[in-house]
Amino acid sequence: MTPVIDIAGVRKTYGHGDTEVHALAGVDLAIDQGEYVAIMGHSGSGKSTMLNILGCLDIPTSGSYHLDGIDVGGLNENQLSLVRNHKIGFVFQSFNLIPRTSALSNVELPMVYSGVPRKERLARARAALDLVGLSNRADHAPNELSGGQQQRVAVARALVNSPSMVLADEPTGNLDSHSTEEVLGILDRLHADGRTVVVITHEDHVAAHAQRVIRLVDGVIVEDRRAA
Amino acid sequence: MTLFEILRFAGKGLTANKMRSALTILGVLIGVAAVILLVAVGNGASVSVQNSLNSLGTNTLTISPSRGGTGVPSRPLTQADATALTDRNIAPDVGSVTPVVTSTAAATYNGTSIDIGQVIGTRPNYFTITNSPLSAGAAFTDADVADARKVIVIGATVAQDAFPGADPIGRQLLINNIPFTVQGVLASKGSSGLQNADDTVVAPLSTVQYALTGPGNLSQLVVQAASADVIDSAQAQVTAVLGQRHGSTDFRVLNQQQLLTARTQTVDVFTVLLASVAAISLVVGGIGITNIMLVTVTERTREIGIRKAVGATRGAVLGQFLAEATLLSMIGGLLGVLIGIGGSRFTIAGVSPVIDWNAVLLAFGVSVLIGLFFGSYPANRAARLRPIEALRHE
Ligand SMILES: Nc1ncnc2c1ncn2[C@@H]1O[C@H](COP(=O)(O)OP(=O)(O)OP(=O)(O)O)[C@@H](O)[C@H]1O
Ligand SMILES: [Mg+2]
């Protein structure tokens, strides 16, 4: 079985000359379908850089990335948009909802770009909001929602197009313990449904939800541990 | 992504900042309305020039002095010239002739001063030759001319200015401090855009000469051909008779057709000038769109990043921002058309505007194109952003 994520020799370098920063210094990693992976490491160790590359939001300086067997490096801009739309659900630490736009419309957004008809779109968006327990907040704009609720809307948006993987960059970093549990509960359920989940976190109790923990130091993987 | 979705996003984007959108729309609106209105005014001026000249009758000739050949001083037109032209034997196609002196003068009524465009001194046949009927009172007579009586016929504008709401007949108007009795009022002919035919006072030739211009030379001779068909031969006869009497062609004979062409050309130049000013304001409106869209794109960089992160293609982002720009210019254009057409119903600077539908179409079309053109630079900038760069934007 081909892994969902397969990166080899990935490097990411920012800046030139004196200010050069090797955010990723040669990373090899394969993640199988249905795995629940936590990425840990100190601040500045390259976690976000790696996840952005996995989410096709950024491109590596060198190295290869195969997603579901497709060589991402060979895709053009439109094909990358398509991959982000169909295969990836991304959750950001800072929620990144579109302001002045209702929760429902935010969740609808990925389906608008994939051309799902309006009726079906609305139904699926409502179902996704229902799944994260926010069906009663569908018409609220982001600034009318608590941080935890905003993040749950973001999770609903990430899963609504049934992507093969959900990538979350410190999804609970800005949340209190109660909201954290709610969001983690949703990710657990996604995993239980067979979705691939990759989560960046600084907290051990969050990482404890995952079956596999990867630790980064200065842009290289120093530990890749699977739970029993 | 359907067109409907694109428009929906664009509409949302515009309503997010209503004040800014409204001001941008206003810029385009003013441009479009200005084009439509100013062209309509120019057009209206040209139409009314035609009408007022046509109303003079197409079978009249106007003779005025001009410089003869190089260095030859022109001989003035005289009453004798006028009499000579009425000779049936040498000028058989000339119907009637009237002498005209013109002058400007200050008028007052009850202590308030009234602007008078022109004081015309002439004979009673002036009214028939120039097709100037009276709306009230009566024209002066040959006897008035013979006795140099101080009677006048006033234009509609003068009547309005001097005696608002009152019957002017029988009242006295002071012209250069000499009292004149108003005896009749001319029917309104309307403004020709450059000159207001209603802003005149007509008095007996002799009176004007004694009181205002001094005796002697005439400003013009107005000749009516025997019929409209013989206007050309009448013109030839007039030229021949006067040329012989003066010894050189030190006068100009204009027929209405030539006057019409000359005036229309002047008005056309005027219209082009107006339209250029309007076109500039339309372009300024377009630059306003670029400006606002650039601000919008910068402000919403993060939003663009989010959209791209969830799968918006470059085309989708481009479409959204282009649609926003075009919507702005189209709404501005439509409102501009409405206001331009609405405004054309009013008289502006003495001219009743006549809408040129080509200008309406053009102004609206250009406004939409301006949205596309001036919006495409910011829209492209938005669409080209890489998702991660856009998301990191502060
Ligand atoms: N756009 C950028 N330009 C220059 N350097 C960058 C840029 N983004 C990240 N870096 C550098 O790359 C390194 C890795 O950054 P990254 O964001 O991946 O760290 P991280 O592990 O996610 O840290 P944190 O836990 O604080 O989020 C850091 O040293 C950072 O300074
Ligand atoms: Mg990070």
Side-chain angles (χ1 to χ4, degrees):
Chain A
M1 180 175 120
T2 48
V4 191
I5 291 168
D6 187 0
I7 59 177
V10 163
R11 297 172 168 275
K12 181 74 186 183
T13 311
Y14 293 110
H16 299 282
D18 287 350
T19 61
E20 205 169 65
V21 176
H22 297 283
L24 290 180
V27 174
D28 306 298
L29 176 66
I31 297 174
D32 284 328
Q33 171 71 43
E35 274 196 285
Y36 191 159
V37 180
I39 300 176
M40 299 190 75
H42 294 297
S43 183
S45 56
K47 305 182 296 293
S48 295
T49 305
M50 185 163 101
L51 202 72
N52 289 338
I53 289 171
L54 295 184
C56 297
L57 298 176
D58 207 351
I59 41 175
T61 312
S62 63
S64 72
Y65 175 18
H66 288 83
L67 201 169
D68 270 344
I70 307 163
D71 181 8
V72 171
L75 300 182
N76 67 23
E77 211 192 295
N78 274 346
Q79 291 167 321
L80 280 176
S81 294
L82 217 68
V83 167
R84 286 195 288 268
N85 189 249
H86 287 286
K87 296 193 177 291
I88 299 164
F90 211 105
V91 181
F92 302 88
Q93 178 173 0
S94 52
F95 320 138
N96 276 340
L97 298 177
I98 293 185
R100 290 182 292 265
T101 304
S102 72
L104 190 70
S105 300
N106 264 291
V107 177
E108 262 187 277
L109 201 60
M111 294 184 287
V112 171
Y113 292 122
S114 52
V116 177
R118 191 177 163 77
K119 247 199 169 133
E120 183 190 339
R121 214 164 64 206
L122 278 172
R124 272 167 59 182
R126 281 187 199 286
L129 278 177
D130 205 27
L131 196 73
V132 300
L134 282 177
S135 31
N136 56 341
R137 294 284 189 280
D139 298 325
H140 290 228
N143 61 351
E144 298 162 350
L145 295 170
S146 75
Q149 290 169 334
Q150 287 187 56
Q151 193 61 301
R152 281 190 279 154
V153 173
V155 173
R157 183 180 66 190
L159 59 84
V160 76
N161 241 356
S162 312
S164 38
M165 57 186 189
V166 172
L167 309 178
D169 189 348
E170 299 188 46
T172 60
N174 288 346
L175 305 183
D176 68 4
S177 56
H178 178 69
S179 300
T180 297
E181 284 314 312
E182 280 179 330
V183 170
L184 289 177
I186 299 164
L187 292 181
D188 283 346
R189 254 183 293 155
L190 285 175
H191 170 238
D193 288 347
R195 224 62 73 75
T196 310
V197 180
V198 181
V199 180
I200 294 178
T201 183
H202 285 286
E203 292 161 284
D204 289 328
H205 76 94
V206 175
H209 286 256
Q211 317 148 299
R212 181 180 173 189
V213 177
I214 290 166
R215 198 170 294 275
L216 278 177
V217 173
D218 290 341
V220 287
I221 295 176
V222 295
E223 185 188 342
D224 187 348
R225 175 171 52 83
R226 280 169 211 268
Chain B
M1 200 178 176
T2 61
L3 183 67
F4 175 74
E5 297 295 347
I6 293 176
L7 288 180
R8 204 166 59 100
F9 282 156
K12 257 213 172 112
L14 293 186
T15 46
N17 205 324
K18 295 194 182 66
M19 188 57 157
R20 189 194 284 170
S21 302
L23 288 175
T24 314
I25 286 171
L26 188 67
V28 179
L29 181 159
I30 290 174
V32 171
V35 168
I36 293 174
L37 261 181
L38 294 185
V39 169
V41 167
N43 218 8
S46 141
V47 166
S48 77
V49 162
Q50 266 172 36
N51 287 348
S52 71
L53 291 179
N54 284 342
S55 76
L56 283 180
T58 46
N59 57 344
T60 57
L61 301 169
T62 309
I63 301 137
S64 42
S66 74
R67 212 162 302 135
T70 30
V72 184
S74 68
R75 283 179 45 170
L77 294 166
T78 59
Q79 183 57 50
D81 290 329
T83 317
L85 288 176
T86 52
D87 186 336
R88 279 293 129 115
N89 296 319
I90 55 174
D93 291 324
V94 170
S96 49
V97 179
T98 193
V100 170
V101 293
T102 55
S103 167
T104 50
T108 49
Y109 178 72
N110 267 357
T112 47
S113 70
I114 295 128
D115 256 351
I116 295 179
Q118 208 179 22
V119 178
I120 293 173
T122 187
R123 293 184 177 282
N125 61 351
Y126 172 87
F127 297 99
T128 46
I129 290 179
T130 62
N131 192 15
S132 309
L134 273 66
S135 64
F140 47 81
T141 60
D142 283 324
D144 292 328
V145 177
D147 297 349
R149 289 192 193 126
K150 296 186 184 63
V151 291
I152 50 176
V153 171
I154 60 179
T157 305
V158 177
Q160 186 61 42
D161 289 351
F163 315 103
D167 180 11
I169 306 294
R171 288 179 201 264
Q172 297 226 314
L173 192 64
L174 284 180
I175 298 178
N176 280 8
N177 282 325
I178 302 161
F180 284 79
T181 307
V182 177
Q183 193 174 299
V185 179
L186 289 170
S188 175
K189 277 191 172 178
S191 162
S192 66
L194 302 174
Q195 190 186 2
N196 187 348
D198 294 340
D199 193 14
T200 52
V201 165
V202 187
L205 178 67
S206 47
T207 319
V208 172
Q209 283 180 329
Y210 293 143
L212 301 172
T213 64
N217 306 334
L218 301 176
S219 311
Q220 284 178 341
L221 294 177
V222 181
V223 169
Q224 187 174 40
S227 79
D229 302 333
V230 296
I231 183 89
D232 287 336
S233 49
Q235 182 166 1
Q237 289 157 13
V238 165
T239 311
V241 170
L242 290 182
Q244 200 186 17
R245 289 179 53 83
H246 287 204
S248 73
T249 317
D250 55 0
F251 54 88
R252 250 175 345 147
V253 182
L254 276 180
N255 67 34
Q256 286 307 319
Q257 204 50 51
Q258 290 166 320
L259 254 177
L260 192 67
T261 320
R263 289 271 183 90
T264 317
Q265 272 167 359
T266 318
V267 170
D268 282 350
V269 170
F270 187 63
T271 309
V272 168
L273 269 176
L274 287 180
S276 321
V277 171
I280 289 170
S281 77
L282 195 54
V283 171
V284 171
I287 294 171
I289 292 186
T290 318
N291 190 14
I292 286 311
M293 292 312 293
L294 278 175
V295 171
T296 302
V297 165
T298 313
E299 238 185 36
R300 286 159 65 193
T301 305
R302 233 181 133 79
E303 176 192 325
I304 294 165
I306 299 170
R307 288 179 185 276
K308 289 203 136 185
V310 302
T313 57
R314 182 189 276 217
V317 175
L318 185 69
Q320 177 183 344
F321 284 90
L322 262 190
E324 278 189 28
T326 313
L327 220 56
L328 277 178
S329 65
M330 227 154 81
I331 294 172
L334 271 179
L335 290 176
V337 166
L338 288 182
I339 288 177
I341 291 176
S344 302
R345 309 175 69 126
F346 299 99
T347 306
I348 296 161
V351 176
S352 339
V354 176
I355 290 171
D356 180 345
W357 292 102
N358 287 326
V360 173
L361 269 181
L362 194 75
F364 181 69
V366 166
S367 78
V368 173
L369 286 181
I370 271 180
L372 278 173
F373 180 76
F374 284 97
S376 64
Y377 169 65
N380 245 312
R381 247 175 67 155
R384 264 210 313 275
L385 288 171
R386 283 212 274 128
I388 193 67
E389 286 163 356
L391 281 170
R392 281 212 191 101
H393 190 266
E394 294 300 308

